[in-house]
């Protein structure tokens, strides 16, 4: 059996374990939220809605995704470039523990009621200073793990001079580069604004600057979630269906374009805010639409892969190839459904980023629905599909037929729950129902309409959220089985790390010249941010005092 070395395996499993612990608690918080908004649940006096909302956003959107992504990267880099050396393994462990300590510090502050600032932690809401210290440690820990993986990649490049790296390794490095550049914004605001302000070393905070630096980070954060899912789509899925990567050069180019165009776009989250000139909002909106290009490239590549493989297996006619795909393999079906959900999710993103249409949906439940139908389904369900073979690969256990049936039930219930909840959220948003608020039963006709429809109804949202929580519990049950209780695999049933063949013989080598792409990325960032940020600093009003509303 092709089992990873023990140290590499334990490292990946540790990240996975932390990820799924956060996932279970985060989904429970989500369940509480939909019942509170439906006026069907009253929390005890020691717990309030905004604590729950903050925990839900942080644990699912930040903690679960990040720990899972690094587990995936570590397993894949060990598989494609060889086992980690002692230094790479040591620095990965250091990064893991720093990230874990930062996470625990943040969670303690939220639970103790001193950090109900939501995952965006907008100023002038102020949390305890240790909350921001925890955020800084979390980011630093991820950087340490990321740099360790890049170090492993550099060693391979030195040993294989003149060769393009394996596609999985290339994509991992591209994602780490995007993550590090994106985090510069949040590190700057946390270290130089929030921490001095929260500990009383500074009198006030420049609110517009803090939000702009957050969204410099906040939008590429979405692509930090998406790119590992795209990696699975490009590299893992073709192997699962028995095919190969459609185009190595197209896959590499799409990831390069994400580095260039996913970062200088944060102002499209601030279209309604004063203090930023319309020209800069317009420029970053244009750059936002550029990100659509690599996403469409990915869609084209994936469906070309599906069709070519389906026709190899005998598919006839216009859509005969669809019937030849391995629909009975939950590892494929879960990821295919995730891709399908991204179609309406991407369309909603175009609406969010458009000047006029953003005015209609800004700060309503539409945005929450969009978030769940892009991150909560395409990303999360791709991660579920990866889980079904990654944990058996790491533990040497067997993905039994009974567990596969439960996995189909899990992705089915997750799909139904998300369809109900996100559809209700989109429609409620169009009716004007706000987000980020616990109480929604206002005494006027518009608010009553939020409870009277079939799909446009807080009850429908709660039903969908309940189904999602049950699906999450089922997923945790499958994870526990695959980790400890399923029978041990033998040679015939062992889950290998599925990496599809990729022909890089005709791929231009300049695509892996990181100096070029990092340089171009910083030029675009400088064009999009230097002047508006300098104006925000130069013409800043007096710093805002702290606000605590809990």
């Amino acid at each position: 059996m092709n089992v990873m070395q023990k140290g590499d395996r334990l490292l990946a499993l540790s990240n996975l374990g932390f990820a799924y612990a956060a996932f279970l608690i985060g989904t429970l918080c989500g369940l509480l939220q939909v019942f509170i908004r439906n006026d069907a649940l009253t929390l005890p006096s020691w717990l309030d809605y905004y604590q729950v909302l903050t925990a839900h956003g942080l644990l699912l959107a930040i903690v679960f995704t990040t720990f899972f992504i690094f587990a995936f990267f570590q397993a894949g880099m060990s598989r494609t470039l060889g086992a980690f050396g002692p230094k790479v393994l040591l620095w990965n462990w250091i990064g893991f523990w720093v990230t874990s300590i930062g996470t625990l510090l943040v969670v303690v502050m939220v639970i103790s009621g001193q950090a109900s600032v939501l995952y965006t932690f907008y100023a002038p809401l102020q949390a305890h200073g240790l909350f921001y210290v925890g955020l800084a440690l979390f980011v630093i820990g991820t950087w340490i793990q990321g740099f360790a993986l890049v170090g492993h990649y550099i060693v391979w490049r030195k040993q294989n001079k003149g060769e393009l790296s394996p596609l999985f390794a290339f994509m991992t490095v591209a994602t780490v580069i995007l993550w590090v550049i994106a985090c510069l914004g949040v590190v700057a605001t946390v270290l130089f604004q929030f921490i001095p302000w929260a500990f009383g070393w500074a009198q006030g905070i420049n609110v517009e600057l803090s939000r702009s630096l957050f969204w410099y980070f906040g939008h590429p954060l979405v692509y930090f979630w998406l790119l590992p899912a795209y990696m699975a789509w490009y590299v893992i899925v073709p192997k699962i269906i028995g095919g190969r990567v459609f185009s190595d050069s197209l896959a590499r180019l799409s990831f390069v374009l994400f580095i260039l165009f996913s970062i200088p776009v944060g102002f499209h989250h601030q279209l309604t805010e004063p203090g930023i000139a319309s020209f800069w909002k317009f420029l970053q909106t244009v750059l936002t639409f550029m990100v659509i290009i690599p996403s469409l490239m990915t869609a084209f590549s994936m469906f070309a892969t599906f069709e070519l493989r389906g026709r190899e297996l005998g598919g006839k006619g216009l859509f005969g190839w669809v019937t030849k795909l391995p629909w009975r393999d939950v590892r494929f079906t879960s990821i295919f459904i995730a891709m399908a959900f991204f179609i309406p999710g991407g369309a909603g993103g175009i609406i969010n980023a458009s000047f006029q249409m953003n005015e209609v949906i800004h700060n309503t439940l539409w945005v929450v629905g969009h978030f769940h139908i892009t991150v909560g389904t395409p990303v999360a369900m791709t991660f579920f599909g990866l889980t079904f073979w990654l944990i058996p690969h790491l533990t040497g256990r067997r993905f039994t037929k009974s567990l596969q049936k439960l996995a189909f039930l899990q992705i089915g219930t997750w799909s139904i729950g998300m369809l109900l909840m996100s559809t209700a959220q989109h429609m409620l948003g169009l009716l004007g129902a706000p987000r980020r608020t616990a109480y929604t039963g206002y005494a006027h006709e518009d608010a009553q309409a939020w409870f009277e429809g079939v799909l446009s109804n807080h009850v429908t949202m709660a039903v969908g959220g309940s189904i999602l929580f049950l699906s999450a519990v089922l997923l945790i049950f499958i994870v526990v089985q695959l980790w400890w209780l399923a029978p041990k695999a033998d040679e015939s049933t062992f889950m290998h790390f599925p990496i599809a063949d990729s022909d890089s013989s005709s791929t231009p080598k300049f695509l892996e010249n990181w100096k070029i792409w990092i340089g171009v990325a910083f030029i675009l960032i400088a064009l999009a941010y230097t002047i508006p940020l300098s104006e925000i600093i130069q013409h800043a009003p007096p710093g805002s005092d702290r606000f605590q509303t809990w």
Side-chain angles (χ1 to χ4, degrees):
M1 292 190 297
N2 182 23
V3 182
M4 292 167 57
Q5 288 198 6
K6 184 178 180 181
D8 300 3
R9 193 169 71 249
L10 284 175
L11 176 68
L13 282 171
S14 297
N15 272 297
L16 275 177
F18 213 108
Y20 273 110
F23 175 79
L24 181 60
I25 301 170
T27 49
L28 174 60
C29 291
L31 179 69
L32 295 177
Q33 281 175 244
V34 291
F35 278 102
I36 296 167
R37 287 188 65 96
N38 189 34
D39 296 338
L41 177 67
T42 302
L43 289 174
S45 58
W46 52 268
L47 184 66
D48 70 61
Y49 176 81
Y50 299 100
Q51 278 175 278
V52 172
L53 181 55
T54 303
H56 175 70
L58 287 170
L59 290 174
L60 289 185
I62 304 293
V63 179
F64 167 66
T65 54
T66 302
F67 278 92
F68 188 97
I69 287 166
F70 275 101
F72 180 47
F73 285 174
Q74 288 154 356
M77 292 289 271
S78 179
R79 160 74 170 78
T80 54
L81 301 184
F84 294 150
K87 288 184 179 179
V88 171
L89 190 59
L90 173 63
W91 281 107
N92 265 302
W93 275 114
I94 292 173
F96 167 77
W97 284 113
V98 173
T99 310
S100 302
I101 292 168
T103 302
L104 293 174
L105 194 54
V106 166
V107 169
V108 167
M109 290 299 105
V110 174
I111 291 174
S112 64
Q114 300 184 72
S116 298
V117 292
L118 314 192
Y119 102 100
T120 50
F121 58 93
Y122 269 0
L125 289 177
Q126 187 188 85
H128 192 284
L130 291 178
F131 172 81
Y132 305 112
V133 172
L135 289 178
L137 288 173
F138 180 90
V139 172
I140 292 168
T142 63
W143 279 6
I144 294 171
Q145 291 187 83
F147 288 138
L149 293 174
V150 172
H152 189 52
Y153 163 84
I154 291 171
V155 170
W156 186 93
R157 289 291 300 272
K158 288 180 178 178
Q159 295 172 349
N160 299 268
K161 288 186 177 179
E163 294 183 33
L164 287 172
S165 64
L167 186 54
F168 185 98
F170 173 91
M171 291 176 162
T172 297
V173 172
T175 309
V176 170
I177 289 171
L178 181 146
W179 174 247
V180 171
I181 296 175
C183 285
L184 293 174
V186 77
V187 166
T189 189
V190 167
L191 289 183
F192 300 115
Q193 287 190 281
F194 279 98
I195 288 178
W197 178 57
F199 283 111
W201 306 331
Q203 288 303 309
I205 189 167
N206 184 332
V207 172
E208 194 73 73
L209 179 62
S210 69
R211 293 187 182 184
S212 298
L213 289 172
F214 175 84
W215 283 117
Y216 167 94
F217 156 80
H219 193 79
L221 171 64
V222 174
Y223 290 94
F224 175 67
W225 299 325
L226 273 172
L227 290 190
Y230 282 5
M231 289 169 65
W233 300 0
Y234 273 115
V235 181
I236 308 298
V237 171
K239 182 68 173 181
I240 290 173
I241 67 175
R244 56 190 301 281
V245 176
F246 174 70
S247 170
D248 183 272
S249 54
L250 183 149
R252 293 177 195 258
L253 177 60
S254 69
F255 270 61
V256 166
L257 293 177
F258 279 120
I259 292 175
L260 300 184
F261 295 116
S262 67
I263 300 174
V265 297
F267 285 164
H268 82 238
H269 289 267
Q270 299 172 267
L271 294 179
T272 63
E273 288 193 17
I276 303 171
S278 296
F279 171 78
W280 301 110
K281 293 177 181 178
F282 171 75
L283 175 64
Q284 295 204 16
T285 298
V286 172
L287 292 173
T288 301
F289 282 95
M290 294 295 291
V291 184
I292 298 170
I293 295 172
S295 291
L296 292 176
M297 290 166 61
T298 301
F300 170 78
S301 178
M302 292 317 305
F303 280 90
T305 300
F306 296 153
E307 182 172 356
L308 288 172
R309 181 55 179 161
R311 296 199 183 281
E312 282 179 7
L313 296 173
K316 304 294 183 183
L318 189 60
F319 294 110
W321 55 271
V322 175
T323 62
K324 300 297 181 180
L325 297 175
W327 299 107
R328 294 184 179 182
D329 187 340
V330 71
R331 299 172 301 163
F332 166 73
T333 306
S334 58
I335 295 177
F336 187 92
I337 295 172
M339 293 178 187
F341 266 96
F342 197 59
I343 297 171
I350 295 171
I351 292 170
N352 298 346
S354 302
F355 257 95
Q356 293 87 348
M357 288 187 282
N358 183 275
E359 293 290 330
V360 178
I361 54 84
H362 189 83
N363 222 25
T364 70
L365 269 178
W366 168 285
V367 179
V368 182
H370 167 73
F371 196 77
H372 283 90
I373 210 172
T374 49
V375 180
T377 316
V379 173
M381 196 175 290
T382 297
F383 289 0
F384 302 161
L386 297 178
T387 297
F388 299 143
W389 61 259
L390 183 56
I391 293 181
H393 173 75
L394 296 172
T395 61
R397 296 192 179 272
R398 185 153 51 92
F399 192 30
T400 62
K401 290 184 177 179
S402 59
L403 286 176
Q404 291 183 54
K405 291 178 180 177
L406 286 178
F408 270 111
L409 178 61
Q410 190 272 320
I411 64 166
T413 50
W414 190 270
S415 301
I416 293 168
M418 194 61 76
L419 201 60
L420 286 171
M421 188 179 78
S422 67
T423 301
Q425 288 169 337
H426 277 89
M427 298 183 73
L428 283 163
L430 291 176
L431 292 173
R435 62 177 176 144
R436 295 187 176 127
T437 181
Y439 182 68
T440 54
Y442 309 109
H444 60 79
E445 292 181 4
D446 288 343
Q448 295 308 310
W450 306 338
F451 293 87
E452 293 170 355
V454 177
L455 286 176
S456 57
N457 195 318
H458 278 77
V459 176
T460 306
M461 189 170 71
V463 170
S466 302
I467 296 171
L468 283 170
F469 179 71
L470 294 174
S471 181
V473 172
L474 181 56
L475 178 63
I476 295 297
F477 175 80
I478 295 170
V479 167
V480 170
Q481 292 288 318
L482 293 175
W483 204 304
W484 290 290
L485 303 176
K488 283 287 186 180
D490 55 27
E491 284 286 349
S492 63
T493 58
F494 179 73
M495 286 278 194
H496 293 276
F497 198 112
I499 296 285
D501 293 331
S502 176
D503 181 11
S504 61
S505 59
S506 59
T507 302
K509 291 191 176 180
F510 70 83
L511 286 175
E512 199 160 4
N513 189 332
W514 298 113
K515 293 178 182 177
I516 295 175
W517 307 123
I518 293 173
V520 174
F522 275 112
I523 290 171
L524 287 171
I525 292 166
L527 288 172
Y529 274 106
T530 302
I531 294 176
L533 287 187
S534 64
E535 289 178 348
I536 289 171
I537 294 170
Q538 184 179 358
H539 303 296
S544 174
D545 289 333
R546 55 174 276 183
F547 284 83
Q548 284 192 344
T549 57
W550 60 92

